[in-house]
């Protein structure tokens, strides 16, 4: 053992704890330790070998806020008597006035060790905060007697205790941690920073370049022993790295084997080796690798072998092995225990098959178990397809020599790889459907042929999903959507329920989640508003729990929730969900286009030009599906017509509304055309567009509300107008679906006010509409309206004036005129001066 004190700082200190001339001062660590000692009675300094624990304490002790009594323990100090004598000797050296009492107690100790313990506690209690006791290498304590002695000692009120070691034995410190009496200084604090790494290597040679230091720090993770090993091996030449370093380059394997693994118990040593091979970073996987692995995993965390992750590669705070340590442990095991490597990977493959099939296949391949890899791929390929991992996983199987064991998965993977645009999820889904439909059914014992159940589940899901985004899908109150004639899609709803149940039974949680997301959208499309809202919320909650939130898997649920919020006039919720659908549905162009189109109308209703521009940018960024450049599932002509109405060019918008286009002949399109006709004063044409007064009950409820409301505004007879309004209220009230009424609230206001006087069964809803319209904020100026200066520039365009002459006449520079011209061209949607004049004349601006 080694003992010393602050009182013997001169030659005595140097003889007992010789300073390391190659060490660098770490004010950061000293400040952290000093703050911990001042605030907490017990401070635990715990880290694996080579992190400079003793060096830090030696640098801190001379400047500590109190006199330090230091005892460095050795294996013989595991005896409680010898341990207490070591501590008593250290205290006596630090505080000579206590020596007589401690010597007398030491003489009585062979008969009663408790005498020295009690005396130590009395002496230290009397010294109070003027005493700090450092027990270095406390990990050498293992016997129950020694642990009991230290545990009793650190509970002495008044003095401070610093316990340093590779791990801290069971000293019953849990209650103290809860009370805030125990502080920890661990690997995160003791690891060198980039600057400290630079100072350390500069102490041994020429100052290294910043790039060399960063490379060295990246590989070593600030582990001081590793930094010394890398420098001593000449991996950096005169401060400059010869090439980017790898973890394998640092010659620290022997140190890891002798100082890190060698200091562990045989049971913990075996676990660390297996866990590093399998990259195990959670207790559940630890239990799969070794029986009792969860407890061993927690012990590794307590010893500092794993640290909290903060590198952005995983959840913040999640445990992660020190990479350099793990690399060298893996290399050692691969070299000396190849069968252990295979056993670990195979055990992990079996354990992960249900939750992470892609990782399971990789582990099976690494474990040289091709049959196991093929088994996982064959049984989990639908889940892998949904996760977007099928192609990469199938390649792993082929690499492992297991490609022939999962024929359907291989066929589907080849079909996905063959796509010209593999990032287009809709095109990939269509290719998979074609492959599955052409796959020969399997013969049964009675001669019949049936398709494998996994194939049927995937086929049912993808076919139903495609039906929701088809060009002939029935209208569902989505403005601007390409749709077909009225029909029922209840079979799609049922198919998605069956697929979700089948996937859940088979243990495919992500596929089941995807089926439920599409089911929520299907419910929204058929008008089951309350059910759609509830199902979408459930999917999004489960998506967070499964780690698939805001992903293509849950994008349909975001769209469903956004549609419901839009119809129910909840603009903030609609914006949030529709934006999430756009962000997470990048591989689903049909879904993204519909979400952006609805978001466009939300922003128009809110008077938000910036939001309108953003939605239009999304629509323009989606891949066109026809020669006209329309986004998938959305009409380009409709978008242009909406933009014209926003600019005040309603008649020009009507010229684009082709009744032969399903977008304009759908219920939503017809009610929109009717409103535009009303704006230009052609009520007769507006009524003609709406058709018969009795609407088709198969229409979506949002469409029925819109048509009734539009008709109410066009009726000449007041009684008929109120009847149409009451019908709209009847349809809107059950689910609070009021957006079609809010869109027309300003025009409906006189009719709504009169409706209250006539009597209505929906007075609360009418009152809500009147109050909402009365309290609505003034819309922001349209992004398409010309400013005063832009109108002045426009007035000069029919002349032969040059840009410079226009600027002189308006007393502005030529560059300012060019800026106004660009704005005029953009707002009029033209690119030349002649076209600007032509459009301005047609719109009455000139």
């Amino acid at each position: 053992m080694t003992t010393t004190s602050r009182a013997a700082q001169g030659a005595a200190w140097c003889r007992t704890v010789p300073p390391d001339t190659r060490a660098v001062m770490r004010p950061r660590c000293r400040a952290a330790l000093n703050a911990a000692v001042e605030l907490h009675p017990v401070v635990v300094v715990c880290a694996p070998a080579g992190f400079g624990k003793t060096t830090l304490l030696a640098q801190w002790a001379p400047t500590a806020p109190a006199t330090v009594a230091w005892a460095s323990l050795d294996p013989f100090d595991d005896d409680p008597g010898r341990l207490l004598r070591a501590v008593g000797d250290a205290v006596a050296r630090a505080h000579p006035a206590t020596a007589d009492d401690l010597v007398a107690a030491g003489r009585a100790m062979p008969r009663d060790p408790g005498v020295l313990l009690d005396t130590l506690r009395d002496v230290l209690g009397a010294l109070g905060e003027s005493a700090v006791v450092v027990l270095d290498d406390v990990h050498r304590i293992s016997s129950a007697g020694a642990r009991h002695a230290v545990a009793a000692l650190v509970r002495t009120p008044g003095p401070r205790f610093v316990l340093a070691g590779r791990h801290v034995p069971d000293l019953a410190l849990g209650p103290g941690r809860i009370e805030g009496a125990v502080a920890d200084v661990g690997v995160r604090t003791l690891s060198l920073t980039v600057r400290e790494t630079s100072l350390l290597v500069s102490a041994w040679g020429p100052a290294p370049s910043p790039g060399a230091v960063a490379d060295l720090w990246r590989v070593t993770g600030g582990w001081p022993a590793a930094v010394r090993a890398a420098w001593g091996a000449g991996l950096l030449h005169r401060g400059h790295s010869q090439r980017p370093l790898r973890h394998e380059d640092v010659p620290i394997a022997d140190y890891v084997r002798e100082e890190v693994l060698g200091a562990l118990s045989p049971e913990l040593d075996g676990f660390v080796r297996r866990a590093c091979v399998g990259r195990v970073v959670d207790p559940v996987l630890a239990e799969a690798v070794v029986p009792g692995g969860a407890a061993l995993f927690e012990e590794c965390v307590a010893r500092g072998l794993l640290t909290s992750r903060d590198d952005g590669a995983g959840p913040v705070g999640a445990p992660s092995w020190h990479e350099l340590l793990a690399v060298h442990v893996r290399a050692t095991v691969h070299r000396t225990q190849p069968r252990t490597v295979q056993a670990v990977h195979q055990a992990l493959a079996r354990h992960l098959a249900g939750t992470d099939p892609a990782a399971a296949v990789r582990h099976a391949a690494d474990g040289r178990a091709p049959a196991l890899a093929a088994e996982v791929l064959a049984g989990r390929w639908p889940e892998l397809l949904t996760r977007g991992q099928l192609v990469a996983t199938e390649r792993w199987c082929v690499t492992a020599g297991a490609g022939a064991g999962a024929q359907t998965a291989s066929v589907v993977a080849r079909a996905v790889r063959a796509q010209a645009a593999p990032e287009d999820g809709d095109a990939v889904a269509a290719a998979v459907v074609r492959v599955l439909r052409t796959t020969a059914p399997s013969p049964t014992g009675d001669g019949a042929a049936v398709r494998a159940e996994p194939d049927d589940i995937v086929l049912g899901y993808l076919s139903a999903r495609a039906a929701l985004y088809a060009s002939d899908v029935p209208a569902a109150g989505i403005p601007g959507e390409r749709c077909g004639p009225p029909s029922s899609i209840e079979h799609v709803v049922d198919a998605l329920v069956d697929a979700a149940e089948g996937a859940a039974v088979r243990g495919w949680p992500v596929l089941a989640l995807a089926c439920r997301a599409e089911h929520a959208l299907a419910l929204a499309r058929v008008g089951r508003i309350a059910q759609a809202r509830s199902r979408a919320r459930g999917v999004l909650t489960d998506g967070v729990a499964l780690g698939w939130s805001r992903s293509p898997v849950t994008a349909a649920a975001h769209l469903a929730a956004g549609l419901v919020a839009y119809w129910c006039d909840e603009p903030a919720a609609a914006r949030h969900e529709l934006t999430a659908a756009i962000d997470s549905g990048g591989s689903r162009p049909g879904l993204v286009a519909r979400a952006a189109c609805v978001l466009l109308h939300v922003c128009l209703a809110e008077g938000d030009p910036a939001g309108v521009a953003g939605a239009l940018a999304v629509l323009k960024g989606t891949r066109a599906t026809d020669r006209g450049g329309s986004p998938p599932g959305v009409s380009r002509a409709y978008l242009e017509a909406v933009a014209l109405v926003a600019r005040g060019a309603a008649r020009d918008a009507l010229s684009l509304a082709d009744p032969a286009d399903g977008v304009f002949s759908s219920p939503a399109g017809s009610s929109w055309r009717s409103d535009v006709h009303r704006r230009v004063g052609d009520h007769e044409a507006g009524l003609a567009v709406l058709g018969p007064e009795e609407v088709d009950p198969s229409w979506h409820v949002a469409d029925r509300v819109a048509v009734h409301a539009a008709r109410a505004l066009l009726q000449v007879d007041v009684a008929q107008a109120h009847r149409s309004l009451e019908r709209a209220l009847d349809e809107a009230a059950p689910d609070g679906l009021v957006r079609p009424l809010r869109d027309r609230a300003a025009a409906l206001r006189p009719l709504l006010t009169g409706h209250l006087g006539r009597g209505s069964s929906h007075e609360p809803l009418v009152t809500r509409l009147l109050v909402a319209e009365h309290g609505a904020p003034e819309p922001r100026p349209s992004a398409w309206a010309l400013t005063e200066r832009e109108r002045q520039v426009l007035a000069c365009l029919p002349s032969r004036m040059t840009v410079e002459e226009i600027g002189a006449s308006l007393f502005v520079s030529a560059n300012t005129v060019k800026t106004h011209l660009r704005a005029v061209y953009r707002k009029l949607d033209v690119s030349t001066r002649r076209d600007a004049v032509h459009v301005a004349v047609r719109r009455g601006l000139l």
Side-chain angles (χ1 to χ4, degrees):
M1 77 188 82
T2 303
T3 60
T4 191
S5 69
R6 186 184 174 190
Q9 286 183 8
W13 175 267
C14 293
R15 284 196 303 270
T16 53
V17 184
D20 188 345
T21 58
R22 298 175 300 172
V24 298
M25 301 301 293
R26 291 188 283 175
R28 173 185 59 85
C29 297
R30 288 168 55 190
L33 178 59
N34 208 52
V37 170
E38 288 183 352
L39 296 175
H40 305 276
V42 180
V43 177
V44 175
V45 182
C46 180
F51 272 90
K53 301 178 290 296
T54 301
T55 301
L56 171 62
L57 291 173
Q59 294 174 350
W60 164 80
T63 60
T67 304
V68 175
W70 181 306
S72 293
L73 307 183
D74 58 35
F76 299 103
D77 291 324
D78 200 25
D79 173 71
R82 180 182 172 93
L83 172 65
L84 291 173
R85 277 198 301 271
V87 177
D89 184 43
V91 173
R93 289 173 179 270
H95 303 275
T98 67
D100 292 342
D101 293 338
L102 292 173
V103 169
R107 290 172 181 165
M109 192 185 67
R111 298 187 304 273
D112 187 1
V115 173
L116 180 55
L117 176 60
D118 292 340
T119 303
L120 271 172
R121 296 194 63 186
D122 292 340
V123 167
L124 291 172
L127 291 172
E129 296 185 359
S130 65
V132 176
V133 178
V134 173
L135 298 183
D136 194 17
D137 289 338
V138 73
H139 58 271
R140 299 187 185 279
I141 298 175
S142 61
S143 69
R147 287 189 286 107
H148 174 75
V150 174
L153 195 63
V154 298
R155 286 197 294 269
T156 304
R160 298 292 194 257
F161 295 88
V162 179
L163 311 178
R166 299 177 184 180
H167 68 91
V168 176
D170 183 8
L171 300 178
L173 298 177
R177 283 194 169 90
I178 295 176
E179 296 169 1
V182 179
D184 292 279
V185 176
V187 171
R188 290 172 62 88
T189 301
L190 295 172
S191 297
L192 297 171
T193 63
V194 175
R195 181 177 180 276
E196 290 166 349
T197 303
S198 177
L199 292 174
L200 184 61
V201 296
S202 297
W204 304 330
S209 69
V213 172
D215 198 31
L216 181 61
W217 183 84
R218 173 187 59 81
V219 171
T220 60
W223 186 2
V227 171
R228 291 187 176 183
W231 183 264
L235 295 182
L236 299 180
H237 179 62
R238 294 184 178 179
H240 300 277
S241 56
Q242 301 170 8
R243 61 171 175 76
L245 291 177
R246 299 171 301 175
H247 295 95
E248 297 86 347
D249 295 332
V250 181
I252 202 171
D254 291 340
Y255 187 87
V256 168
R257 186 179 65 255
E258 297 168 3
E259 296 295 329
V260 179
L261 297 180
L264 306 177
S265 66
E267 184 182 25
L268 190 58
D269 176 26
F271 170 76
V272 170
R273 292 171 184 264
R274 288 172 172 265
C276 287
V277 167
R279 294 175 171 83
V280 174
V281 291
D282 69 75
V284 177
L285 285 181
E287 198 69 33
V289 170
V290 174
L296 296 172
F297 178 83
E298 293 303 322
E299 186 173 351
C300 289
V301 174
R303 288 171 174 262
L305 298 174
L306 292 98
T307 58
S308 297
R309 182 185 293 277
D310 61 355
D311 56 3
V316 175
S320 172
W321 290 100
H322 191 287
E323 186 59 27
L324 182 62
L325 170 68
V327 165
H328 282 282
V329 171
R330 279 197 295 272
T332 300
V333 179
H334 275 274
R335 187 172 59 252
T336 61
Q337 300 171 284
R339 291 187 179 276
T340 299
V341 173
Q342 296 179 18
V344 168
H345 283 300
Q346 292 176 23
L348 289 173
R350 294 187 181 91
H351 180 78
L352 293 171
T355 57
D356 191 350
V361 169
R362 289 196 297 272
H363 279 297
D366 291 341
R368 299 187 179 182
L372 178 58
E375 177 186 343
V376 175
L377 181 61
R380 311 291 297 177
W381 72 263
E383 181 80 346
L384 291 164
L385 176 67
T386 309
R387 296 173 181 229
Q389 300 169 337
L390 178 60
V391 172
T393 305
E394 192 265 345
R395 284 174 178 161
W396 272 97
C397 267
V398 172
T399 302
Q407 295 182 356
T408 303
S410 298
V411 171
V412 173
R414 285 196 296 271
V416 174
R417 280 198 299 269
Q419 293 303 301
E423 71 282 355
D424 187 340
D426 295 338
V428 168
V432 173
V433 169
R434 288 194 298 271
V435 167
L436 293 179
R437 284 177 175 168
T438 56
T439 300
S442 304
T444 61
D446 57 2
V450 296
R451 198 179 306 277
E453 184 183 1
D455 299 11
D456 272 345
I457 293 174
V458 175
L459 189 59
Y461 158 63
L462 293 179
S463 299
R465 189 180 96 172
L468 294 177
Y469 306 93
S471 58
D472 59 347
V473 65
I478 301 178
E481 182 185 38
R482 291 190 180 277
C483 50
S487 62
S488 174
I489 60 168
E490 290 291 343
H491 66 285
V492 174
V493 177
D494 296 338
L496 287 168
V497 171
D498 293 341
E501 291 178 351
V505 169
R506 302 279 296 195
W508 302 332
V510 179
L511 177 55
L513 188 70
C515 293
R516 291 169 53 206
E518 301 297 339
H519 178 243
L521 180 60
L523 289 172
R525 294 197 69 99
V526 299
R528 301 188 202 172
I529 306 302
Q531 291 183 37
R533 186 194 294 269
S534 174
R535 298 295 191 278
R537 286 175 176 172
V539 168
L540 297 177
T541 300
D542 292 346
V544 173
L546 291 171
W548 287 89
S549 62
R550 297 182 76 93
S551 70
V553 173
T554 57
H558 284 297
L559 177 55
L563 284 172
V564 171
Y566 167 67
W567 291 327
C568 295
D569 194 30
E570 300 166 3
R575 278 175 178 265
H576 173 77
E577 298 296 349
L578 294 170
T579 301
I582 293 169
D583 293 342
S584 59
S587 62
R588 306 276 301 279
L591 184 150
V592 170
R594 287 168 172 82
C597 198
V598 179
L599 181 60
L600 168 69
H601 285 76
V602 173
C603 296
L604 285 172
E606 291 282 283
D608 180 9
V612 170
L616 289 173
V618 172
L619 288 164
K620 290 179 181 179
T622 56
R623 185 173 56 86
T625 56
D626 59 22
R627 293 183 179 179
S630 296
V634 177
S635 167
R636 178 181 176 84
Y638 174 82
L639 296 175
E640 293 176 350
V642 168
L644 288 173
V645 171
R647 299 173 194 173
R651 293 188 182 277
D652 291 343
L654 285 173
S655 67
L656 294 177
D658 182 5
D661 189 337
V663 173
F664 294 105
S665 61
S666 68
S670 297
S671 60
W672 178 84
R673 288 165 56 207
S674 172
D675 288 334
V676 179
H677 279 297
R678 175 174 52 80
R679 290 189 183 189
V680 300
D682 193 349
H683 287 212
E684 184 177 349
L687 280 172
V689 166
L690 294 176
E693 188 169 348
E694 294 297 327
V695 301
D696 189 335
S698 67
W699 288 359
H700 193 276
V701 59
D703 291 333
R704 298 200 299 269
V705 175
V707 169
H708 285 311
R711 191 184 303 280
L713 290 170
L714 295 171
Q715 295 285 10
V716 177
D717 184 89
V718 176
Q720 290 181 339
H722 281 286
R723 279 197 299 271
S724 295
L725 178 58
E726 186 69 11
R727 289 178 178 176
L729 295 171
D730 288 340
E731 299 282 6
D735 294 308
L737 203 150
V738 297
R739 183 70 252 173
L741 295 168
R742 286 281 286 118
D743 285 338
R744 302 165 176 83
L748 283 171
R749 184 173 182 79
L751 195 59
L752 289 167
T753 304
H755 205 64
L756 285 177
R758 296 172 68 94
S760 170
S761 59
H762 305 294
E763 289 188 3
L765 178 55
V766 173
T767 303
R768 172 187 168 187
L769 291 169
L770 288 171
V771 172
E773 179 59 26
H774 179 72
E778 289 294 324
R780 284 173 271 181
S782 170
W784 309 104
L786 297 179
T787 65
E788 179 63 24
R789 183 64 78 181
E790 290 166 356
R791 286 196 296 271
Q792 292 173 356
V793 172
L794 177 63
C796 298
L797 295 187
S799 69
R800 295 180 177 273
M801 296 171 64
T802 64
V803 169
E804 289 75 12
E805 291 170 340
I806 294 174
S809 67
L810 298 177
F811 302 99
V812 297
S813 68
N815 286 336
T816 301
V817 173
K818 291 178 182 179
T819 299
H820 291 314
L821 275 176
R822 286 194 294 270
V824 169
Y825 289 174
R826 175 176 56 81
K827 293 179 179 181
L828 298 183
D829 197 20
V830 297
S831 57
T832 66
R833 184 168 177 168
R834 175 177 293 181
D835 289 342
V837 172
H838 175 74
V839 171
V841 170
R842 190 177 64 192
R843 296 186 185 176
L845 298 176
L846 288 176

